[in-house]
Amino acid sequence: MKIKLLLFPLSLLFLQACNAVAPIFKSPTEQVFGFDFSEQVPQIPTGDRSAPTHLFVHKYPFYSDGTITAVTYLNDSDGGSETFVLLILRPTDDGWKVIHHIDIDGDDQPSAKTGVTTIHFGTPLNVQKGDIFGHWQLEETGAIPLNDEDLFIEGLSFGKFGISADDIEEGQFISNHGFSGGRDYFINITFQTSP
């Protein structure tokens, strides 16, 4: 009986560790990568208000080659700008190469302080196994709600300040030095495996 009681908590820890990096499944061909914010309430619902020129890297690697078709995020509660840049990043020895740079203008959508916004891309974007995604914000009006370092659930998102618009153009290299945190950003990406 004692063995069963010990194994149960260990199996829960193992499942939680697996869920931290596993995709959130939508259908056999379509999955969602990123923080699973369904039924979650963010610690900071207004978004990161003190992060102009910050890059946030979300370490949820794609498990195979495929395409991304949409980005989904929780609306921030302040009604401010929901404009940011979505990046697809390819790991290198000491950083990432910018593969895709997508300007997301959530302000084109009806202004919302609650709910979830999904923006579909006109053309699916190719990604490779191991690629990850990130987002960059120019202004202080953080578009994506989050859990900060002290209350994160998965903690697979990290940030760095002082990243210019030129630094995040396609083909640019971004060093992985100087990133800090361990946060949950309420954003994820729709992914489809290659046939």
Side-chain angles (χ1 to χ4, degrees):
M1 185 66 164
K2 288 183 180 178
I3 293 174
K4 287 183 180 177
L5 290 174
L6 288 173
L7 289 178
F8 181 70
L10 289 175
S11 64
L12 285 177
L13 286 173
F14 176 74
L15 286 172
Q16 286 177 336
C18 291
N19 285 339
V21 295
I24 309 154
F25 286 94
K26 291 180 83 174
S27 74
T29 60
E30 191 175 78
Q31 297 107 39
V32 174
F33 277 76
F35 179 60
D36 180 4
F37 57 83
S38 59
E39 301 180 26
Q40 300 284 343
V41 176
Q43 175 198 11
I44 304 173
T46 57
D48 204 331
R49 310 274 308 164
S50 59
T53 70
H54 272 60
L55 171 63
F56 301 101
V57 172
H58 311 297
K59 295 185 178 180
Y60 297 87
F62 300 113
Y63 65 85
S64 72
D65 294 353
T67 58
I68 58 169
T69 59
V71 60
T72 299
Y73 56 90
L74 184 68
N75 294 316
D76 61 3
S77 64
D78 61 5
S81 174
E82 290 187 345
T83 298
F84 60 95
V85 175
L86 178 69
L87 300 170
I88 302 301
L89 304 169
R90 184 155 299 150
T92 66
D93 287 340
D94 53 354
W96 304 278
K97 180 179 179 181
V98 178
I99 302 303
H100 297 293
H101 170 125
I102 308 107
D103 293 316
I104 304 295
D105 189 356
D107 294 336
D108 286 346
Q109 310 295 317
S111 181
K113 293 185 179 183
T114 60
V116 173
T117 295
T118 297
I119 297 176
H120 296 274
F121 308 141
T123 302
L125 302 172
N126 292 323
V127 295
Q128 291 181 4
K129 179 179 180 179
D131 288 352
I132 61 173
F133 72 99
H135 80 276
W136 178 81
Q137 66 182 56
L138 174 63
E139 301 171 356
E140 292 185 0
T141 54
I144 314 296
L146 68 144
N147 296 329
D148 210 346
E149 289 93 338
D150 55 344
L151 288 175
F152 69 78
I153 295 170
E154 295 178 355
L156 295 176
S157 297
F158 302 86
K160 181 178 179 179
F161 73 93
I163 305 293
S164 74
D166 291 337
D167 295 331
I168 58 167
E169 291 301 321
E170 290 181 5
Q172 291 290 84
F173 169 79
I174 298 170
S175 170
N176 59 15
H177 300 291
F179 280 80
S180 64
R183 309 173 180 97
D184 302 320
Y185 279 88
F186 285 54
I187 183 173
N188 50 54
I189 294 209
T190 304
F191 169 78
Q192 292 183 331
T193 56
S194 295

